[in-house]
Amino acid sequence: MSSFTTLNLPKSILENLEKLGYTNTTKIQEVSLPYILQGKDLIGQGKTGSGKTAAFGIGILLDLDLENTKTNSLVLCPTRELADQVAQELRKLARFEKNIKILTLCGGSPMKPQISSLSHGAHILVGTVGRVLDHFSKDTLDLSELKNVVLDEADKMLDMGFYEDILKILNKTSKKRQTLLFSATFEEKTKKLAEEILNNPMTVKVDTTHHKDVIKEIFYKSESKEELLIDSLKFHRPKSSIVFVNTKAKSYEVIDLLDEYGFDSILLNGDLEQYKRDEVMIQFSNHSFPILVATDVAARGLDIKNLDLVINYEYPFKEENYTHRIGRTARAGEEGVAISLFHNKEKILDETKLESCDFQLKDKTPITSDLETMCINGGKKAKVRKGDILGTLIKDLKLPNDSIKKIDITDRYSYVALKKSEKLDLQTIKIKGKKFKVWFL
Ligand code: ADP
Ligand code: MG
């Protein structure tokens, strides 16, 4: 692992990286950044959690022409969640310079405000393929001066059938652009796309996440997977854990099972509407629910922090999904455990990971949360800010300081993780003199 200082980056960027706690480059950053900074096209292959965002992020941020408010860089992502995450990471990385405008263009939000933001200009656009194409067809997007394009999680975009759409977008951009393609896997389709859109690319590949060694992989097998799930949760007692299943049908079974045993768990699968998925992720990341039951499609690529346990209730069909799943734990240097459950009749792929499931439980209680999420019907658009919410809750409603654990504010809503013991019985709340509806999720 090498330090960012060997890369000859401007001092302001280095200082910001240090503030973010990024002192050493991750492997993919170490091997790709020299080429990216030289302006070369690049294919970067690295597992989830290897730090790909900062690899291309630093590259495009340093290439910006701030005077030019026409779009300099376009980052295409497979899903809205990923686009939001990439934009968030880019905004952190961009803090070394005040005037960098980063805009997300995703479906699920109305076009009009996006069009208006676009008309004011943005240096970097992060978006999903579908929505970016929508803007094209409406002529509300000008990519004529694009200097670089990033395809993030290209394999996933192709799985979703965006091959032609990606080409449609790229055909309208300058041939002189720098194109960076990142992908966890590199199958035929991805290769074909790379050949079409990249110009003499360098290829870098890293097998490891920079913290692979801190994921402990354990396999358990027994006569009953249901029991195994319940007992392994009671044994490991995670603060925050994802239980992965292979199908939506199984996700309903598992959530019912956990429910029956008294665990506080919440479901994330492709049946949920977008707003519901967002809410689920907020409730999980603010610790109102210690356990998330998820399918791969729904959870792919999400950067969920501080997971101490990942459980494969079902071993994934594809080996690459195994990597994706266990990569959710121990991200960026934290320690994590990844458990896979097998039925006695199932074939075990790697006997060396097998451990005894004779648990001798010290604590037999289910895992629950003492928090719940209050939703306020007003967010950034209504100019609601954390400090104002805290003001109302602490000063007006006399809640103790430590009963408020986390506040998330989205465009239209604010979410507060509150101690359940506070039993607030409210229909409305006044924030800075303005009345808002509230409810508990
Ligand atoms: P990928 O896109 O490869 O899955 P991300 O870009 O989402 O990975 O990064 C994974 C996590 O690692 C993020 O939380 C990010 O903030 C963190 N990270 C990235 N680069 C570094 C670094 N050099 N040092 C420490 N943490 C890093
Ligand atoms: Mg990524």
Side-chain angles (χ1 to χ4, degrees):
M1 228 172 266
S2 84
S3 156
F4 279 107
T5 51
T6 58
L7 282 168
N8 214 353
L9 300 172
K11 197 160 159 260
S12 53
I13 277 227
L14 283 176
E15 281 171 359
N16 184 48
L17 288 170
E18 201 181 312
K19 275 191 207 141
L20 297 174
Y22 296 9
T23 36
N24 293 317
T25 52
T26 66
K27 196 74 197 162
I28 189 105
Q29 291 160 5
E30 180 189 335
V31 295
S32 66
L33 264 168
Y35 299 125
I36 297 177
L37 296 173
Q38 284 169 32
K40 292 212 156 67
D41 279 8
L42 177 117
I43 296 172
Q45 194 183 343
K47 291 177 177 168
T48 306
S50 54
K52 295 189 284 292
T53 322
F56 65 74
I58 293 170
I60 61 180
L61 285 164
L62 280 179
D63 200 25
L64 290 187
D65 175 3
L66 286 176
E67 308 286 294
N68 184 355
T69 51
K70 279 202 183 172
T71 302
N72 282 225
S73 308
L74 172 71
V75 183
L76 290 175
C77 302
T79 63
R80 184 176 135 193
E81 284 96 340
L82 281 164
D84 282 338
Q85 250 168 44
V86 166
Q88 244 176 43
E89 175 88 1
L90 290 179
R91 289 197 176 99
K92 283 200 279 181
L93 294 166
R95 281 184 202 147
F96 70 95
E97 167 64 62
K98 275 204 195 72
N99 302 312
I100 301 177
K101 283 187 72 179
I102 300 172
L103 186 67
T104 49
L105 292 181
C106 301
S109 321
M111 293 281 279
K112 265 222 177 113
Q114 290 180 353
I115 294 172
S116 135
S117 304
L118 278 170
S119 71
H120 293 118
H123 300 104
I124 302 176
L125 295 180
V126 184
T128 51
V129 180
R131 182 49 66 97
V132 169
L133 207 55
D134 285 349
H135 281 286
F136 252 138
S137 46
K138 280 194 156 21
D139 238 356
T140 46
L141 195 57
D142 180 356
L143 297 181
S144 59
E145 299 194 16
L146 209 59
K147 296 174 83 179
N148 23 55
V149 172
V150 180
L151 301 177
D152 194 18
E153 308 229 5
D155 46 351
K156 174 78 182 180
M157 290 197 275
L158 295 177
D159 279 348
M160 293 165 81
F162 286 134
Y163 193 96
E164 294 301 326
D165 289 347
I166 292 173
L167 288 186
K168 266 189 216 156
I169 296 172
L170 293 195
N171 282 339
K172 306 213 176 174
T173 64
S174 158
K175 291 274 173 299
K176 280 187 292 187
R177 64 166 198 262
Q178 177 185 28
T179 311
L180 308 172
L181 182 150
F182 287 88
S183 196
T185 58
F186 208 64
E187 291 159 9
E188 272 317 303
K189 276 185 295 192
T190 326
K191 260 184 219 150
K192 196 164 149 241
L193 179 73
E195 273 162 25
E196 264 197 78
I197 62 169
L198 298 169
N199 184 9
N200 263 331
M202 302 301 301
T203 299
V204 298
K205 181 178 170 180
V206 304
D207 279 336
T208 47
T209 60
H210 57 303
H211 34 260
K212 189 173 191 247
D213 47 344
V214 292
I215 302 179
K216 184 166 162 38
E217 294 172 62
I218 306 174
F219 289 1
Y220 292 129
K221 74 174 190 180
S222 99
E223 213 25 70
S224 158
K225 271 169 96 162
E226 287 86 358
E227 236 169 69
L228 207 48
L229 176 65
I230 299 298
D231 286 354
S232 50
L233 281 167
K234 287 180 177 173
F235 180 71
H236 290 277
R237 304 205 76 79
K239 286 200 185 63
S240 209
S241 172
I242 303 188
V243 178
F244 279 104
V245 291
N246 291 345
T247 61
K248 282 190 253 179
K250 192 55 101 182
S251 72
Y252 292 111
E253 256 177 55
V254 170
I255 197 96
D256 285 348
L257 174 76
L258 291 171
D259 218 36
E260 194 184 311
Y261 279 83
F263 289 81
D264 284 338
S265 52
I266 192 165
L267 181 65
L268 182 76
N269 70 21
D271 284 344
L272 302 183
E273 284 183 56
Q274 187 64 52
Y275 87 93
K276 191 64 202 164
R277 286 199 216 180
D278 292 347
E279 272 185 7
V280 165
M281 286 322 298
I282 286 174
Q283 292 176 88
F284 180 60
S285 64
N286 75 13
H287 298 290
S288 291
F289 288 88
I291 302 164
L292 179 77
V293 177
T295 54
D296 292 292
V297 197
R300 179 144 177 180
L302 292 175
D303 181 26
I304 305 159
K305 291 239 164 61
N306 301 321
L307 277 189
D308 36 15
L309 177 66
V310 166
I311 298 186
N312 295 308
Y313 185 77
E314 295 176 296
Y315 201 84
F317 298 130
K318 286 197 206 161
E319 192 59 30
E320 64 187 78
N321 280 346
Y322 180 76
T323 319
H324 274 292
R325 288 179 179 185
I326 73 168
R328 318 274 101 225
T329 181
R331 309 208 81 191
E334 292 142 30
E335 215 171 283
V337 178
I339 292 177
S340 302
L341 306 181
F342 296 88
H343 189 272
N344 276 344
K345 284 189 291 207
E346 276 178 283
K347 192 170 154 295
I348 304 249
L349 298 150
D350 183 351
E351 299 272 347
T352 61
K353 292 178 184 154
L354 204 56
E355 289 191 12
S356 155
C357 56
D358 179 16
F359 288 122
Q360 314 285 344
L361 296 176
K362 284 198 203 92
D363 183 348
K364 293 187 179 162
T365 58
I367 295 164
T368 55
S369 167
D370 59 350
L371 301 176
E372 63 187 331
T373 303
M374 180 174 79
C375 179
I376 303 171
N377 188 20
K380 284 178 200 154
K381 295 237 162 85
K383 305 235 162 18
V384 173
R385 288 183 319 205
K386 277 188 198 176
D388 307 329
I389 297 177
L390 283 172
T392 300
L393 295 176
I394 294 170
K395 290 212 192 82
D396 306 346
L397 297 169
K398 309 277 183 258
L399 290 187
N401 229 326
D402 70 347
S403 62
I404 305 156
K405 291 299 174 195
K406 189 161 184 279
I407 301 180
D408 293 287
I409 304 187
T410 65
D411 281 349
R412 298 173 52 196
Y413 301 101
S414 303
Y415 300 89
V416 187
L418 278 179
K419 279 259 175 75
K420 282 180 185 164
S421 54
E422 287 312 321
K423 295 230 182 311
L424 274 185
D425 186 17
L426 296 171
Q427 262 79 53
T428 57
I429 194 170
K430 254 192 178 167
I431 298 171
K432 282 205 306 189
K434 244 172 108 181
K435 228 184 196 181
F436 293 96
K437 274 196 188 141
V438 297
W439 60 89
F440 281 86
L441 296 181

